[in-house]
Amino acid sequence: MNWGIKKPLSFVKLNSTATTHIQFRTLVKVRLKWAKNKTLDNIIETNTQLKAAYLLKHSIVRSSTGFITSKSISNSHKFLGLTIPTLRFIRRYPTLFQEFNHSKYPSLPCFRLTEIAKNLHDQELRILEAHEANLVERLCKVLMMTRDKIVPFESLNALKWDLGLPDDFDRNLVFKYSDYFRVVKDRTGVSCLELLKWNDEFAVSVLQKRYENVESGSEKEFSKFRRGQSAMAFSLRFPRGYGGQNKVKAWMEEFQKLPYISPYEDSTGIDMNSDVMEKRIVGLLHEFLSLTEHKMTKRNYLGSLRGELNLPERFTRIYTRYPGIFYLSMKCKTTTVAVREGYRRGKLAEPSPLANVRGKFYYAMKTGLMYQNKGVHMLPELAGLSSSGYGEDNDNEGEKDETMKECNADACSDSEEEFDGDLFDVFGDGSL
């Protein structure tokens, strides 16, 4: 099938400097120590709790009875990403989940949605419907980044929350847009989603769009490297103390001047061990994370797409090689990667309408209201709430929101790895 992919300039008309970059490693070698960011760690904790509550909400919505029993969720804490029993977690939020006894088995606790949860769910459905074209574009872009334009549903289902896809996207959205997608089986019989229609308008990365919108004299970090024909610079937000180091400056300046390869362009002709491929990997991960609702996802979710995205075996080293672009967190007994520029002052820099509704959902969670009708009276306040990232305004990356920390402390284990002061060589062989 002809996808209409044009060979990028860097593939066809490389100058001598770019060719050197492809054949050899010329970047300055820099050893960087992993630094903890408490603000981002706290946001990741909050996102974990919010996702767990959403999954429980979806279970109730899908249930034919309109409720779930404590027995049905008793062993679901690992699936939900919790470190405490699910029953203890769901009882923490009576604003969203109303507990009652089963009519046939009085000793069996059951849970249904409160009126406030139903209203927020209806808001979410309206937003998904209103922005359906954006969801289709996002799903197309994920498929367009892959080598064969096909992704297993197992991988997409794991990413539903992060990509903001409807709970039933595989049953409704895919079939509604049959001109874009079709369901196929791979050679092993696994059900996959295949892209049928390539759209050139979708094949523009976030970084490329930003360059198109940069005005003369603005956004210095981008305009600084615009002299190069194909070089594009990533926004950098180094941990405190890194940005002023001369070696780090020299290394990043060389990296930023490398040709930028769009994640939507064919990369099979690039040497896997070259600097240009390294920048292509950074660009692809940057684009993928930028497509997510909260500018983050679990490391293993991206790992499951390594083959489809044409990534090398140890590509996760990129996260710690470029701490000015990515942040790696070990919160909640899992590994999450976030793109730093997605957050400013402890909040999402550009929250989507769906992220705002999720923020309202979290606001309802943390109020701790004990009576459902009192919560209903809060709906006008929730409707006007602009919640863009759950955090408080904060320029200091090391400061935590203690209110959120207290809310999440029991459900999300504080088990981040400090790496025992290990240093990560930019070109080392160690893998996370």
Side-chain angles (χ1 to χ4, degrees):
M1 183 176 293
N2 181 11
W3 297 104
I5 307 176
K6 297 180 180 179
K7 288 287 185 180
L9 180 65
S10 53
F11 289 167
V12 181
K13 299 180 180 179
L14 288 171
N15 57 33
S16 58
T17 304
T19 304
T20 302
H21 281 309
I22 286 183
Q23 297 300 325
F24 305 102
R25 284 198 176 279
T26 60
L27 294 179
V28 177
K29 291 188 177 182
V30 178
R31 292 167 66 84
L32 298 177
K33 184 178 179 180
W34 177 82
K36 180 177 180 179
N37 184 311
K38 294 183 178 180
T39 299
L40 286 176
D41 277 345
N42 186 54
I43 292 171
I44 289 167
E45 280 186 88
T46 299
N47 193 52
T48 300
Q49 308 313 306
L50 182 59
K51 181 180 178 181
Y54 251 76
L55 291 174
L56 289 169
K57 182 200 73 170
H58 287 321
S59 295
I60 296 174
V61 170
R62 287 194 304 265
S63 172
S64 58
T65 62
F67 63 86
I68 54 177
T69 66
S70 59
K71 184 178 180 180
S72 67
I73 61 175
S74 59
N75 296 319
S76 62
H77 63 282
K78 288 185 178 179
F79 170 76
L80 296 173
L82 301 174
T83 57
I84 64 170
T86 307
L87 184 59
R88 178 180 169 188
F89 174 82
I90 198 171
R91 280 175 168 163
R92 180 175 291 170
Y93 306 112
T95 334
L96 300 174
F97 306 107
Q98 182 183 28
E99 183 174 352
F100 64 97
N101 294 328
H102 197 283
S103 58
K104 189 175 181 180
Y105 308 101
S107 61
L108 181 63
C110 301
F111 298 89
R112 59 188 165 215
L113 295 181
T114 62
E115 287 302 314
I116 194 170
K118 290 177 183 178
N119 276 275
L120 289 172
H121 178 70
D122 290 341
Q123 285 187 36
E124 179 189 359
L125 293 180
R126 288 194 295 271
I127 284 178
L128 289 174
E129 183 179 359
H131 297 272
E132 192 172 82
N134 292 334
L135 296 176
V136 172
E137 178 180 351
R138 187 176 303 177
L139 190 54
C140 284
K141 287 167 86 74
V142 170
L143 291 166
M144 288 166 65
M145 281 191 281
T146 64
R147 183 169 48 195
D148 300 319
K149 314 302 174 275
I150 183 171
V151 175
F153 272 108
E154 183 179 3
S155 297
L156 289 174
N157 285 329
L159 286 160
K160 275 195 299 187
W161 162 265
D162 296 324
L163 293 174
L165 298 174
D167 191 46
D168 59 353
F169 87 97
D170 53 339
R171 299 185 296 276
N172 292 329
L173 191 67
V174 167
F175 293 102
K176 184 176 179 180
Y177 292 89
S178 56
D179 54 332
Y180 275 107
F181 313 110
R182 74 174 174 186
V183 179
V184 296
K185 299 278 187 181
D186 66 8
R187 282 175 286 182
T188 62
V190 174
S191 183
C192 302
L193 184 64
E194 182 182 17
L195 182 70
L196 293 177
K197 181 180 178 182
W198 180 275
N199 190 325
D200 286 332
E201 293 182 2
F202 295 168
V204 183
S205 69
V206 169
L207 189 61
Q208 288 171 322
K209 287 181 180 178
R210 189 169 299 152
Y211 265 90
E212 291 174 358
N213 296 329
V214 167
E215 296 178 358
S216 177
S218 65
E219 298 195 35
K220 293 181 181 179
E221 68 268 29
F222 296 109
S223 60
K224 181 179 179 181
F225 293 99
R226 295 188 72 186
R227 292 187 298 271
Q229 290 184 351
S230 60
M232 291 187 187
F234 294 93
S235 175
L236 300 178
R237 296 183 62 191
F238 277 107
R240 189 179 292 106
Y242 281 87
Q245 296 180 17
N246 290 331
K247 271 197 171 183
V248 174
K249 283 183 176 180
W251 158 48
M252 287 311 301
E253 211 165 291
E254 287 299 312
F255 171 77
Q256 299 278 41
K257 290 178 181 177
L258 289 170
Y260 173 78
I261 308 300
S262 169
Y264 303 105
E265 293 174 349
D266 184 9
S267 63
T268 55
I270 307 177
D271 180 3
M272 275 289 189
N273 296 316
S274 68
D275 293 329
V276 171
M277 176 56 85
E278 185 157 306
K279 186 165 184 179
R280 181 257 171 188
I281 295 169
V282 171
L284 186 146
L285 297 174
H286 177 274
E287 176 72 1
F288 198 103
L289 291 169
S290 297
L291 290 177
T292 63
E293 286 291 329
H294 302 282
K295 313 309 174 190
M296 64 177 69
T297 191
K298 290 186 178 181
R299 184 182 64 174
N300 62 318
Y301 291 172
L302 281 170
S304 69
L305 293 172
R306 183 183 67 81
E308 287 83 356
L309 295 172
N310 193 30
L311 295 170
E313 186 174 350
R314 293 183 175 180
F315 77 93
T316 54
R317 292 176 295 174
I318 292 292
Y319 303 141
T320 50
R321 286 184 192 178
Y322 297 93
I325 301 173
F326 306 112
Y327 178 66
L328 199 66
S329 173
M330 305 297 165
K331 301 300 289 187
C332 301
K333 293 188 177 180
T334 187
T335 309
T336 303
V337 60
V339 61
R340 284 183 180 269
E341 69 177 41
Y343 286 86
R344 289 178 188 155
R345 299 176 64 86
K347 293 184 178 182
L348 280 169
E350 298 177 0
S352 69
L354 181 59
N356 278 327
V357 169
R358 289 177 175 180
K360 296 176 186 179
F361 197 84
Y362 176 68
Y363 181 80
M365 286 173 65
K366 73 176 185 177
T367 55
L369 294 175
M370 297 303 295
Y371 299 102
Q372 181 180 349
N373 29 343
K374 186 175 181 182
V376 171
H377 293 321
M378 289 186 59
L379 281 174
E381 181 183 347
L382 288 172
L385 181 67
S386 177
S387 191
S388 56
Y390 326 127
E392 299 297 329
D393 285 357
N394 184 11
D395 283 320
N396 187 343
E397 289 188 343
E399 185 176 332
K400 273 192 178 179
D401 182 334
E402 294 300 329
T403 302
M404 290 188 289
K405 176 62 181 175
E406 182 180 351
C407 177
N408 297 332
D410 293 334
C412 193
S413 174
D414 187 6
S415 60
E416 72 274 42
E417 295 181 18
E418 298 289 351
F419 298 121
D420 298 324
D422 286 348
L423 297 175
F424 293 88
D425 195 318
V426 173
F427 304 119
D429 294 326
S431 177
L432 285 177

